[in-house]
Amino acid sequence: GQNIDQPTEMTATEGAIVQINCTYQTSGFNGLFWYQQHAGEAPTFLSYNVLDGLEEKGRFSSFLSRSKGYSYLLLKELQMKDSASYLCAVTGGGNKLTFGTGTQLKVEL
Amino acid sequence: GAVVSQHPSWVICKSGTSVKIECRSLDFQATTMFWYRQFPKQSLMLMATSNEGSKATYEQGVEKDKFLINHASLTLSTLTVTSAHPEDSSFYICSAEGGREKLHEQYFGPGTRLTVT
């Protein structure tokens, strides 16, 4: 089976750094994705990790530890527009995505 | 590149009627498309995997006779919600695999909000 855990909500200040954690227990693992989803919209791709380590892409970075079943998404220089839900998703066999429950991030002034 | 469209973006229908939702990959061919459902404040739940030219593979608990999926071409998959009921009201999202160079990426459509009255 698949079990993916994320915090439900987080609040951070504009300009700050926030780390959103994701732990997973899955029967198969091909890679881990992070998506951003604004209310009423479809998810947009942020990052993909298949090997251990840190992937940096502008203000967003994603880390993966396969041995620990753990990932995090790091958002730097937070902006108000970063307020959204952040979804951790794991692919097992056949490229099927299993999503976590999502973390609702609120960025405040 | 890698744009996926859905039509309609929203639909309201009466209980007992059927609704068809289209998912198109606009600038790439998608052998595999996925259909998800998302209830308010919940995450995406995979309903089925749609492969071009073959029958869809449904996830456990999803009624294949109620949610008919057709993937007749490499750029189009359709989901028909038959005999819709208020509990089927949800946000339906499709995604398509990103072609030969980006097999690991799924590109999502903008979603279709279905309201059954």
Side-chain angles (χ1 to χ4, degrees):
Chain A
Q2 316 280 66
N3 188 35
I4 302 172
D5 288 318
Q6 303 177 235
T8 305
E9 296 178 338
M10 298 183 73
T11 302
T13 305
E14 189 179 35
I17 299 173
V18 70
Q19 177 174 312
I20 302 174
N21 295 325
C22 171
T23 59
Y24 63 90
Q25 294 173 314
T26 57
S27 55
F29 182 85
N30 284 344
L32 186 144
F33 292 81
W34 283 96
Y35 286 88
Q36 180 192 62
Q37 186 180 28
H38 286 97
E41 298 180 11
T44 55
F45 170 81
L46 292 178
S47 68
Y48 172 66
N49 293 72
V50 62
L51 300 175
D52 286 357
L54 187 67
E55 295 278 344
E56 296 186 75
K57 190 184 294 184
R59 292 190 300 116
F60 291 16
S61 302
S62 58
F63 172 83
L64 174 67
S65 170
R66 295 179 65 148
S67 61
K68 295 182 180 179
Y70 167 68
S71 174
Y72 67 73
L73 179 69
L74 194 70
L75 291 78
K76 303 176 185 176
E77 302 170 14
L78 280 173
Q79 302 174 10
M80 298 298 290
K81 67 177 183 179
D82 296 330
S83 293
S85 182
Y86 290 85
L87 307 174
C88 172
V90 172
T91 57
N95 288 340
K96 291 198 308 184
L97 276 174
T98 301
F99 282 86
T101 52
T103 299
Q104 188 66 44
L105 174 65
K106 183 178 180 182
V107 180
E108 299 179 328
L109 290 172
Chain B
V3 177
V4 176
S5 71
Q6 275 185 247
H7 178 80
S9 55
W10 60 270
V11 58
I12 301 173
C13 71
K14 292 186 177 181
S15 186
T17 61
S18 296
V19 173
K20 180 186 283 189
I21 303 170
E22 292 186 350
C23 176
R24 292 181 186 273
S25 57
L26 298 186
D27 51 2
F28 67 101
Q29 293 184 332
T31 308
T32 303
M33 291 183 173
F34 302 87
W35 285 97
Y36 297 86
R37 180 168 52 183
Q38 185 177 34
F39 292 106
K41 297 191 176 181
Q42 295 186 24
S43 193
L44 281 74
M45 296 298 294
L46 179 66
M47 298 175 67
T49 302
S50 169
N51 292 298
E52 186 264 339
S54 64
K55 291 183 179 181
T57 303
Y58 290 82
E59 294 300 299
Q60 193 171 8
V62 178
E63 300 173 57
K64 62 180 181 181
D65 294 331
K66 180 170 181 62
F67 299 99
L68 301 178
I69 291 173
N70 185 284
H71 193 157
S73 76
L74 287 172
T75 59
L76 173 65
S77 177
T78 61
L79 168 68
T80 301
V81 183
T82 62
S83 187
H85 291 285
E87 57 265 31
D88 298 323
S89 298
S90 186
F91 193 46
Y92 291 85
I93 306 174
C94 72
S95 71
E97 285 191 330
R100 282 183 297 178
E101 293 184 0
K102 294 187 175 183
L103 279 175
H104 58 272
E105 287 192 32
Q106 289 187 26
Y107 296 92
F108 286 84
T112 298
R113 182 149 320 269
L114 170 64
T115 302
V116 184
T117 61

